[in-house]
Amino acid sequence: AMNWTAIKLFATAFIFQWVFYLAIELLWILAFSPLLLAHQNGSIVPPKAAQYRATVIREVRYYWGFGESSSTFMAQIHQESNFREDAKSAVGATGMAQVMPMTAQWLQQIYPKDLKELCDSKSGCPLNAHWAIRTLIIYDKKLFDRLTWAETKDDRWAATLSAYNGGESWVTRERRACGSQFPVASNNNVSDSH
């Protein structure tokens, strides 16, 4: 004689397990499908960023120390080039760090000890990913150290990133035009995690 109670118990457990796994799979799809869709629209950090994450962290630790987060630099590279080594702008900036040719040459000359090991060219190597990352980090440090007039660290970062894009002289002109009050991002737009 068959033990119907055992069969019912087995069938109930099997169905419960199947429903449980189906629910987990559905939750996974619901949780990650917005990220997958967002990635298709280009609104999240590209997978290519993972390829350079360790290099950015290492370079930030070396030039800035352990007190500075690498996330600012990762975000800057994402904004500049979407982590594309061969990125070219309409105005002539190239590489992941979107360095102008004259700026690349100038940085190669003023930081030979730091940059020559990655690139022997007098013109710099903006299409070399490691050179571009190191250059961005070194140049940000130079600007950050010079823009001491900013009242808060967030203001200093805002000025640094503005100077990176428009040049330090542009930031100085804008500051003078604003009566020494450089227009900076509000605290709502810049995180304290720098």
Side-chain angles (χ1 to χ4, degrees):
M2 295 188 79
N3 185 349
W4 288 105
T5 307
I7 292 173
K8 285 181 189 176
L9 188 61
F10 177 78
T12 303
F14 178 79
I15 290 171
F16 178 78
Q17 186 176 13
W18 183 79
V19 169
F20 176 77
Y21 285 124
L22 186 62
I24 294 295
E25 188 172 355
L26 181 62
L27 286 173
W28 187 90
I29 290 169
L30 290 174
F32 290 103
S33 63
L35 292 176
L36 296 173
L37 291 173
H39 178 67
Q40 289 173 354
N41 294 331
S43 61
I44 65 172
V45 177
K48 192 151 183 127
Q51 178 181 347
Y52 299 108
R53 185 172 183 264
T55 301
V56 171
I57 291 170
R58 187 175 50 253
E59 296 291 330
V60 169
R61 297 296 175 262
Y62 184 80
Y63 290 100
W64 286 76
F66 287 91
E68 198 61 50
S69 171
S70 61
S71 61
T72 301
F73 304 94
M74 292 289 288
Q76 185 180 2
I77 295 168
H78 175 70
Q79 179 64 32
E80 293 290 343
S81 65
N82 205 23
F83 288 90
R84 287 184 32 239
E85 304 93 338
D86 63 344
K88 291 188 174 142
S89 76
V91 295
T94 58
M96 284 176 44
Q98 286 295 279
V99 180
M100 294 295 286
M102 293 298 290
T103 305
Q105 185 176 4
W106 173 68
L107 290 168
Q108 186 76 358
Q109 289 171 0
I110 65 170
Y111 295 108
K113 183 181 80 170
D114 299 293
L115 299 176
K116 200 139 180 122
E117 71 178 304
L118 300 174
C119 168
D120 206 21
S121 170
K122 290 180 181 179
S123 301
C125 298
L127 297 176
N128 174 314
H130 195 165
W131 186 92
I133 290 167
R134 183 175 291 177
T135 301
L136 178 136
I137 291 167
I138 289 172
Y139 191 38
D140 278 353
K141 179 72 170 140
K142 175 186 177 8
L143 293 167
F144 190 86
D145 289 347
R146 288 178 53 87
L147 300 170
T148 56
W149 48 261
E151 291 181 22
T152 68
K153 189 174 182 182
D154 285 345
D155 291 348
R156 203 163 167 187
W157 266 112
T160 297
L161 295 172
S162 295
Y164 184 92
N165 279 308
E168 190 177 357
S169 60
W170 175 82
V171 171
T172 303
R173 266 194 323 274
E174 287 298 305
R175 183 173 180 241
R176 262 191 242 121
C178 295
S180 296
Q181 295 295 317
F182 182 74
V184 295
S186 72
N187 286 336
N188 295 333
N189 296 331
V190 181
S191 78
D192 292 327
S193 64
H194 299 295

